[in-house]
Amino acid sequence: MRPHIICHMSTSIDGRLHPSRFTGTASGISRDVLRGHYEKVHDSFEADGWIIGRTTASEIAKGTERSIAGAPKLPREAHVGDIKGRKLAVTIDPSGRVHYGKDNIGGDHVVAVLGEQVSDAYLAEISEDGVSYIFAGAKGDDLSGAMQQLAAHFGAKKLLLEGGGKINGAFLKHRLIDEFSTLIYPGVDGVAG
Ligand SMILES: NC(=O)c1ccc[n+]([C@@H]2O[C@H](COP(=O)([O-])OP(=O)(O)OC[C@H]3O[C@@H](n4cnc5c(N)ncnc54)[C@H](OP(=O)(O)O)[C@@H]3O)[C@@H](O)[C@H]2O)c1
């Protein structure tokens, strides 16, 4: 059993994903109001959490790398932290490149989906932060197995997949997307290629 997965994204009229590049809004309409619609629809799904790719996670997690000397050898098995009833912020980070400095992103509890190849020092760092983690096989590419673990260990029944494009594409390729929710932002990016 895996959670039901809804890919929830906003795009420009020309199908691009980077809001900072979009043209401005019509006069009298604020970007924040438009952005608010995305969050409102996000909340309306009443999902157990959301999933993002490593690049997107690196942009929003604000921690810095700490070197933890003499980290113990840890088994490559699921580690469930103190969730405290919060929603899940799932990051797909096969090589352990994202640094958190705390156990949440925007108040939602982080569950890192890792490859077994990550170092013990990295596992020690994120455990110290209070972050939960699971392993998606040796290389961190068993997305289907990872989704099943999110259901089994974290009780996730419904999750929102929220980009970027690479991780959305990987989920699509693995037939892990059940629904799409797409908001079209009234602006263009305009980049070619
Ligand atoms: N418009 C929106 O609603 C929206 C939403 C989210 C993000 N964004 C924007 O999208 C941009 C990032 O998008 P992105 O497509 O470059 O990156 P992404 O999808 O956020 O992350 C891609 C990374 O995920 C990791 N990954 C793990 N398993 C993977 C697999 N099976 N296949 C592919 N990648 C896998 C890889 O990390 P490694 O490189 O470590 O191997 C890969 O480089 C950001 O600038 C963000 O602001 C927009």
Side-chain angles (χ1 to χ4, degrees), residues 8-182:
H8 177 52
M9 297 292 290
S10 65
T11 79
S12 59
I13 292 167
D14 51 346
R16 296 289 171 167
L17 298 180
H18 216 304
S20 67
R21 296 178 44 90
F22 297 172
T23 48
T25 54
S27 97
I29 298 176
S30 92
R31 261 180 199 261
D32 291 344
V33 168
L34 292 179
R35 180 73 197 165
H37 291 301
Y38 180 85
E39 298 302 338
K40 218 160 143 183
V41 177
H42 169 115
D43 291 345
S44 74
F45 286 117
E46 297 184 342
D48 300 302
W50 41 278
I51 307 167
I52 51 175
R54 194 274 304 164
T55 309
T56 304
S58 295
E59 283 178 5
I60 60 179
K62 302 290 181 209
T64 46
E65 184 170 3
R66 305 190 301 281
S67 72
I68 305 215
K73 177 98 195 128
L74 289 167
R76 286 348 188 211
E77 56 192 41
H79 167 72
V80 181
D82 188 1
I83 301 168
K84 300 188 189 108
R86 291 171 291 180
K87 291 190 186 283
L88 308 176
V90 180
T91 57
I92 314 285
D93 181 18
S95 308
R97 292 163 136 179
V98 184
H99 301 280
Y100 302 96
K102 55 184 182 177
D103 74 346
N104 67 86
I105 297 177
D108 296 333
H109 179 69
V110 176
V111 182
V113 176
L114 307 169
E116 288 164 9
Q117 81 242 352
V118 299
S119 70
D120 290 308
Y122 181 73
L123 290 181
E125 176 190 312
I126 63 172
S127 300
E128 211 171 85
D129 292 338
V131 163
S132 296
Y133 55 80
I134 57 175
F135 293 95
K139 293 187 190 151
D141 56 358
D142 179 10
L143 295 177
S144 183
M147 294 305 108
Q148 287 174 29
Q149 291 181 63
L150 290 173
H153 298 296
F154 298 87
K157 291 189 173 61
K158 192 198 284 181
L159 293 172
L160 302 178
L161 173 64
E162 298 195 312
K166 282 187 190 150
I167 207 64
N168 290 350
F171 271 68
L172 188 64
K173 198 169 159 190
H174 286 86
R175 307 182 76 86
L176 289 169
I177 298 177
D178 301 296
E179 284 183 60
F180 289 94
S181 162
T182 308

